[in-house]
Amino acid sequence: MVCITSPKFSLSLNGTLHGFFKGARGMRQGDPLSPYVFVIGMEYLSRKLNTLKDDRLFRYHPKCSKLKITHLFFTDDLLLFGRADMNSIIRLYNYLNEFSKVSGLETNPSKCSIFLSGIDDNQKMQICSYLNFTEGILPVRYLGMPMISKRLSWLDCSPLISKISDQLQHWQKKKALSYAGRLQLIKSVILGVHLFWTNNYILSCKVLKRIDKMCSDFLWGHKIPLVSWVSICQDKEYGGLGVFSAKDWNYAAAIKLLWMIHLKKGLLWIKWVHENYLKRFDIWNVRMKASDSWIWKQLLKVRDLMIRRYGSISNLINIIESCCKSENVQISFVYRNLVQPAQKVSWNGTVWGGFHYPKHSFILWLAIQSRLLTKERLCRMRILDANQNQCVLCSNHIETVCHLFFDCYYTAAVWNLVMDWLNFSWRSCSWGEIIHWYSYSLKRKGLTESLKKMALSSSVYHLWQERNLRIFQFKTHQPGILFRAIKLSMLSKILNEKLPVHIR
């Protein structure tokens, strides 16, 4: 909101209750009424500043005059705007002093900055001396976001990159984290960090790719990516994991901003855009100007990209309208429209439905897509020699996903015990036939069907774990012992689910 194009005065006051304003009379730190008194005081200051519209000697910031904007504030963050003439500055400063006398809160010069442009050094010095504030340098942070008048560079985004990197490095030390655990951390924490930025800025491709790369490396433990990040960012019903790609989410958030401007919602920033950028044009046809701000140019570039992608403005509008709910754009719907393929996978309910453990579902998800690092795949990747591809469970066949589940005599013995236990009416040890049967003949969501789906994911997980124990720790278990471990894991899960007592 700070525009540095013409002579003006922009005063930024940032801080906390005991930072920007200090020395409150009659208020002690820890007093439960202090926050309420402070909020009331800020509301008083806001109303006083609004009376400047009736003051003929006060001159507005050039970009704020049409909407008569003198200030912006959110809780204890305050921005004041005006032209760089002493009459305007004196009036703003007088209101601050009057507020201090009424509330007992004083401005803290060490927490205040003033931003000036288009004036000579002597006038700058006069203004700074009168206010006793130092001249600030952009960017500054407001509500956690950098405010900048030029292109948002890699250095400006370094707080975002550092915050994500620090979180990932901290979690990387937790060696016991499974794939499912890492996935949950990415979804619940990392996405929340970068979504806050991508909902407000159109970040550079370099920054967005870096975020996606860090998340991908963390998910796979900085080892070989078993599935591409593009596939992971699909919804589960399309074969992915439902993670949001930073780049595509940034486009979806930009589309939402375009739609809000198109609807002319009564928000201050939208009114400001219409007054300063659109005027007699609409958002779909306005042309880019050399004097426009960088963020506005980026928004129009996204608009042009989406129009080319969907063929025309009318097609783009129809797509956005289909993603609306009561005229509010659902960014997640727009995102899915941007990234999802046309065809859904048939095995979605098999992998993610029922009572699955998340870590069991993840291994089953990899197995169905033949992405587990079996010896046969390691040989194709030239990590192992061609003569090292024998199955460690039976030593008779090449170790592939289809052989492990459940052509191998060891795994077939375990799977048959599971099918006997659950009274399967249909029997097979062929991986392709089993997945087809689960996908098309076991679609219901009853208790029996959920148990059978859970039996598959648990069996695949424990058999894969047994294979790894034999290779890396030289431990072996008989089929009966492994079957017992599968039963215990299933029973433990069922007993901890919120089910009626007679079912448990």
Side-chain angles (χ1 to χ4, degrees):
M1 295 298 291
V2 178
C3 180
I4 307 181
T5 56
S6 59
K8 62 186 173 300
F9 160 76
S10 299
L11 173 64
S12 170
L13 306 177
N14 303 293
T16 62
L17 180 61
H18 300 286
F20 163 42
F21 291 114
K22 64 178 183 179
R25 294 191 298 270
M27 291 170 55
R28 293 177 296 177
Q29 189 169 3
D31 187 342
L33 293 179
S34 296
Y36 302 102
V37 173
F38 181 74
V39 171
I40 294 171
M42 293 300 289
E43 181 63 25
Y44 168 80
L45 175 61
S46 178
R47 294 190 179 191
K48 291 294 292 183
L49 290 169
N50 285 334
T51 63
L52 286 171
K53 64 183 179 182
D54 300 321
D55 191 333
R56 295 182 179 181
L57 295 178
F58 177 78
R59 301 178 68 190
Y60 288 97
H61 184 291
K63 293 291 185 180
C64 302
S65 58
K66 292 182 180 178
L67 294 176
K68 301 186 183 302
I69 300 173
T70 57
H71 66 286
L72 296 174
F73 84 90
F74 181 80
T75 60
D76 55 3
D77 289 324
L78 175 65
L79 297 176
L80 301 177
F81 302 100
R83 188 176 285 271
D85 63 78
M86 290 305 298
N87 286 329
S88 301
I89 293 169
I90 289 171
R91 274 150 182 77
L92 285 173
Y93 196 58
N94 285 342
Y95 278 125
L96 285 179
N97 288 333
E98 181 182 341
F99 172 71
S100 296
K101 292 177 182 178
V102 171
S103 66
L105 300 171
E106 300 175 358
T107 55
N108 186 350
S110 64
K111 294 288 183 75
C112 300
S113 301
I114 181 170
F115 300 88
L116 303 141
S117 71
I119 59 176
D120 57 49
D121 292 339
N122 290 333
Q123 194 173 356
K124 283 185 180 180
M125 189 177 299
Q126 181 185 1
I127 293 171
C128 292
S129 177
Y130 175 77
L131 294 171
N132 194 28
F133 297 156
T134 58
E135 184 177 1
I137 301 174
L138 294 176
V140 294
R141 295 180 72 82
Y142 181 67
L143 304 182
M145 303 296 295
M147 299 182 65
I148 191 167
S149 61
K150 59 180 182 178
R151 183 178 182 274
L152 199 65
S153 66
W154 174 273
L155 185 61
D156 299 321
C157 296
S158 59
L160 170 64
I161 301 296
S162 298
K163 189 170 185 178
I164 293 175
S165 178
D166 291 344
Q167 289 276 20
L168 296 179
Q169 288 179 7
H170 172 71
W171 294 329
Q172 197 66 43
K173 298 174 184 178
K174 311 294 183 181
K175 300 295 183 181
L177 274 177
S178 63
Y179 286 135
R182 295 192 189 105
L183 176 65
Q184 187 58 41
L185 288 172
I186 291 172
K187 282 186 173 183
S188 60
V189 181
I190 300 304
L191 289 184
V193 173
H194 88 65
L195 292 186
F196 181 67
W197 281 64
T198 52
N199 283 349
N200 292 278
Y201 287 111
I202 300 174
L203 305 180
S204 68
C205 289
K206 182 180 178 182
V207 172
L208 296 171
K209 288 179 180 178
R210 177 60 178 165
I211 294 172
D212 286 341
K213 180 69 165 53
M214 288 192 297
C215 291
S216 178
D217 290 344
F218 172 71
L219 177 62
W220 304 116
H222 294 272
K223 298 177 182 177
I224 300 170
L226 303 183
V227 180
S228 70
W229 188 249
V230 174
S231 299
I232 288 172
C233 291
Q234 306 288 342
D235 265 359
K236 289 181 178 179
E237 59 185 342
Y238 293 95
L241 295 176
V243 178
F244 293 138
S245 164
K247 181 179 178 181
D248 291 311
W249 185 271
N250 209 180
Y251 285 149
I255 290 174
K256 179 179 180 178
L257 294 180
L258 290 169
W259 188 249
M260 292 174 73
I261 295 171
H262 166 73
L263 294 178
K264 296 183 180 179
K265 289 197 171 184
L267 300 176
L268 179 60
W269 73 269
I270 295 178
K271 292 179 180 178
W272 187 89
V273 166
H274 278 271
E275 288 291 340
N276 289 278
Y277 286 120
L278 295 183
K279 298 178 181 177
R280 65 180 182 277
F281 297 99
D282 62 60
I283 187 61
W284 311 113
N285 295 294
V286 67
R287 297 293 182 88
M288 193 185 304
K289 299 177 182 177
S291 59
D292 289 344
S293 69
W294 172 79
I295 188 64
W296 179 252
K297 291 178 180 178
Q298 293 298 105
L299 191 61
L300 295 186
K301 286 179 181 178
V302 173
R303 177 204 64 183
D304 295 339
L305 178 65
M306 293 299 109
I307 290 174
R308 289 194 299 270
R309 175 167 183 164
Y310 292 108
S312 66
I313 294 174
S314 59
N315 288 344
L316 176 58
I317 292 176
N318 290 335
I319 291 294
I320 300 175
E321 285 180 338
S322 68
C323 299
C324 288
K325 188 176 182 181
S326 301
E327 291 191 347
N328 294 320
V329 176
Q330 306 295 309
I331 302 184
S332 57
F333 292 174
V334 178
Y335 174 85
R336 293 188 184 101
N337 194 284
L338 287 173
V339 303
Q340 302 301 359
Q343 190 172 1
K344 298 181 180 180
V345 296
S346 59
W347 41 262
N348 171 53
T350 301
V351 175
W352 305 110
F355 305 120
H356 297 301
Y357 287 95
K359 61 181 180 180
H360 294 185
S361 289
F362 198 101
I363 296 300
L364 179 59
W365 175 73
L366 290 174
I368 286 180
Q369 299 183 90
S370 297
R371 289 294 185 268
L372 289 174
L373 286 178
T374 59
K375 289 187 176 181
E376 180 268 339
R377 192 178 178 206
L378 290 171
C379 288
R380 283 193 284 111
M381 296 168 68
R382 298 185 179 179
I383 296 176
L384 294 179
D385 295 333
N387 59 356
Q388 295 180 303
N389 60 3
Q390 295 299 306
C391 173
V392 71
L393 299 176
C394 66
S395 303
N396 293 328
H397 295 85
I398 296 174
E399 185 186 85
T400 63
V401 168
C402 291
H403 172 73
L404 280 175
F405 315 113
F406 300 95
D407 285 343
C408 173
Y409 75 84
Y410 178 89
T411 59
V414 175
W415 181 237
N416 281 317
L417 288 171
V418 172
M419 288 192 290
D420 288 338
W421 178 48
L422 292 178
N423 296 320
F424 272 72
S425 58
W426 181 89
R427 298 294 184 88
S428 176
C429 287
S430 169
W431 182 244
E433 290 180 359
I434 289 171
I435 298 304
H436 185 272
W437 182 75
Y438 267 85
S439 300
Y440 294 100
S441 301
L442 208 63
K443 287 185 175 182
R444 291 178 57 193
K445 297 182 179 180
L447 177 63
T448 302
E449 287 77 13
S450 297
L451 287 174
K452 290 181 177 180
K453 291 173 184 178
M454 186 184 182
L456 177 64
S457 65
S458 186
S459 299
V460 168
Y461 175 83
H462 282 88
L463 288 168
W464 181 248
Q465 190 178 51
E466 174 68 17
R467 176 258 187 196
N468 291 333
L469 284 173
R470 293 194 181 197
I471 292 175
F472 300 111
Q473 298 184 24
F474 307 105
K475 295 180 180 179
T476 61
H477 300 98
Q478 296 299 318
I481 296 176
L482 200 63
F483 167 61
R484 183 172 182 273
I486 293 170
K487 283 203 301 183
L488 287 174
S489 70
M490 291 179 62
L491 290 170
S492 176
K493 180 70 173 178
I494 294 298
L495 291 173
N496 285 283
E497 287 289 325
K498 293 182 179 180
L499 295 172
V501 176
H502 70 280
I503 293 179
R504 285 194 294 148

